[in-house]
Amino acid sequence: MRQPTGFVDPVYPEHVCLLQKSIYGLKQSPRQWFETFSAYLLQYGFIHSSADSSLLLFHKESIILYILVYVDDILLTGNHEQTIQQLLNGLSTHFHMKNLGNISYFLGMQVSHTPTGIHLAQSKYAAEILNRAGMSECKPIASPAPSKLQPYSQSELSAVQSENFRHIVGSLQYLTITRPDIAFTVNKLCQHMHMPLEDDFKLLKRLLRYIKGTILFGLPISSGSLELSAFSDSDWAGDPIDRKSTSGYCAFLGNSLISWHVKKQKTVARSSSEAEYRALATATTDIIWLRRLLQEFQLNVSQPTRLFCDNISAMVIATNPIFHARTKHIEIDFQFIRDCIKSKVIQIELPI
């Protein structure tokens, strides 16, 4: 705590203002807490990750420690038990904190230890969403969305239903952290948050019925190969209203899914090749970030990351040095992917 600039009392320079509410109730409290906590870790020998500012790393000879901070929820891991215990003792003397032991629950995610690794799930959080939606006893269904979305009707929801729709869909966005199988459907629902229609509400109810039947689904993280690979795809003109495409992407570290992305493209693609090519560009940006993060974990990323694409035309556009007139309107993505291929950051291949 310190006096604000311009209000320092020369007689009592060490005094501060009396707050009407605790620091925890102020908007800047998380930032101030993070600065205080990270300052202590930096003095200890940690450094900030360039890929993720909330991740701090400690490397000294053969000792490696990692700390991930989310406000006042902290994860600590490393390869030297004695150093970890020393750090915990030092933190306990400076901050009021509690050691909860091995991770089992973190930010609404249940962490289960398995013989091959860990399993991340949000079954408790999913059950709360179903309960708030009044569908805790609904009949389950096998798929999150129909194979082909029908044209939307113009029947609008009431104000109460619209508010309930936004509340539930907003909650489902956090559920996608461990449920990539619902990411596409949640993305479709989020596109109609401003003015949901009756058909949007029906799609939401179908998704909730699917979640009811798959409430124990989660994300397995298993040990094995540490090779990074990725897949990209798109549905050309998939939106029946504005004919824009949706990009899809997922990245694997060995056999473990570690990153995925579903996003509607900003412009209308003139061909399936263009839609696939823009999906490649989106996937490449995430691969660059993942490679930088893995490098900080001291993993070898010297080899190009294999990026699988099922569209030969998009692959040709990415690797062909001749600039065609039909691709001049996507020049920025064109140059970006070409540079990544030349510098051996990615290597585009057809899926087997």
Side-chain angles (χ1 to χ4, degrees):
M1 299 294 295
R2 59 181 179 270
Q3 296 185 36
T5 305
F7 293 88
V8 179
D9 190 333
V11 181
Y12 303 103
E14 300 299 325
H15 285 205
V16 295
C17 300
L18 176 64
L19 299 178
Q20 297 301 317
K21 56 181 178 180
S22 65
I23 188 69
Y24 239 80
L26 301 177
K27 292 182 179 180
Q28 65 268 33
S29 59
R31 182 180 182 88
Q32 289 297 119
W33 154 249
F34 181 75
E35 287 182 358
T36 304
F37 184 73
S38 59
Y40 175 83
L41 294 176
L42 293 175
Q43 291 179 354
Y44 191 87
F46 281 83
I47 60 172
H48 279 289
S49 165
S50 61
D52 188 347
S53 59
S54 61
L55 175 66
L56 294 101
L57 312 98
F58 178 88
H59 298 287
K60 186 177 180 181
E61 298 176 352
S62 60
I63 300 175
I64 301 175
L65 302 180
Y66 301 111
I67 285 186
L68 188 65
V69 182
Y70 184 83
V71 191
D72 57 353
D73 293 296
I74 303 165
L75 285 180
L76 168 63
T77 187
N79 63 349
H80 197 267
E81 186 64 33
Q82 185 178 356
T83 306
I84 293 176
Q85 193 58 48
Q86 290 176 354
L87 176 61
L88 289 174
N89 293 336
L91 289 171
S92 299
T93 58
H94 288 79
F95 308 99
H96 180 68
M97 55 176 51
K98 187 177 181 181
N99 183 9
L100 300 178
N102 291 334
I103 182 172
S104 59
Y105 194 79
F106 185 72
L107 299 178
M109 288 181 286
Q110 299 147 251
V111 183
S112 305
H113 296 270
T114 64
T116 58
I118 60 175
H119 185 267
L120 305 178
Q122 293 173 280
S123 55
K124 183 179 179 181
Y125 180 71
E128 292 176 357
I129 295 175
L130 291 172
N131 188 48
R132 289 200 302 266
M135 297 187 65
S136 55
E137 301 298 329
C138 65
K139 294 183 179 179
I141 200 168
S143 61
S147 56
K148 187 176 181 180
L149 296 176
Q150 301 297 325
Y152 280 87
S153 67
Q154 298 302 315
S155 178
E156 296 185 16
L157 298 175
S158 65
V160 175
Q161 287 180 316
S162 297
E163 183 65 26
N164 190 35
F165 176 90
R166 297 186 187 98
H167 178 72
I168 297 173
V169 173
S171 301
L172 288 174
Q173 290 186 66
Y174 189 69
L175 187 60
T176 59
I177 292 178
T178 58
R179 295 292 301 269
D181 54 325
I182 66 171
F184 178 80
T185 309
V186 172
N187 175 266
K188 286 290 185 183
L189 292 170
C190 289
Q191 295 174 22
H192 303 277
M193 293 276 273
H194 61 291
M195 192 180 68
L197 302 177
E198 187 68 35
D199 289 339
D200 300 319
F201 198 73
K202 290 179 181 178
L203 181 60
L204 174 60
K205 291 177 65 176
R206 180 190 176 102
L207 176 58
L208 292 174
R209 291 176 60 192
Y210 170 76
I211 292 173
K212 171 66 176 179
T214 59
I215 199 167
L216 297 179
F217 277 23
L219 194 65
I221 308 294
S222 58
S223 59
S225 169
L226 296 178
E227 179 187 2
L228 181 65
S229 60
F231 297 81
S232 73
D233 200 0
S234 71
D235 63 335
W236 180 41
D239 193 298
I241 299 176
D242 57 18
R243 309 312 296 177
K244 291 181 180 179
S245 309
T246 301
S247 298
Y249 150 81
C250 61
F252 288 84
L253 189 63
N255 294 323
S256 301
L257 179 62
I258 60 172
S259 179
W260 56 92
H261 179 84
V262 177
K263 187 176 181 180
K264 190 176 183 180
Q265 296 181 5
K266 295 181 179 180
T267 58
V268 177
R270 299 178 63 190
S271 64
S272 60
S273 301
E274 180 183 337
E276 295 274 2
Y277 186 78
R278 293 193 183 278
L280 281 176
T282 303
T284 303
T285 57
D286 206 42
I287 288 174
I288 293 174
W289 178 79
L290 287 172
R291 286 171 62 91
R292 189 165 71 244
L293 185 63
L294 293 176
Q295 194 170 18
E296 292 183 334
F297 287 145
Q298 298 187 344
L299 297 179
N300 183 17
V301 291
S302 59
Q303 296 298 320
T305 299
R306 294 189 299 167
L307 176 56
F308 295 96
C309 173
D310 61 355
N311 189 287
I312 297 178
S313 298
M315 296 173 62
V316 171
I317 294 174
T319 55
N320 192 348
I322 300 175
F323 187 73
H324 296 285
R326 65 180 179 177
T327 61
K328 63 184 179 182
H329 59 292
I330 52 173
E331 181 178 2
I332 294 177
D333 287 346
F334 174 82
Q335 298 291 354
F336 170 68
I337 297 180
R338 284 286 315 282
D339 289 344
C340 290
I341 294 174
K342 282 184 177 180
S343 58
K344 296 185 178 180
V345 174
I346 61 171
Q347 176 181 318
I348 301 178
E349 299 180 8
L350 281 170
I352 301 175

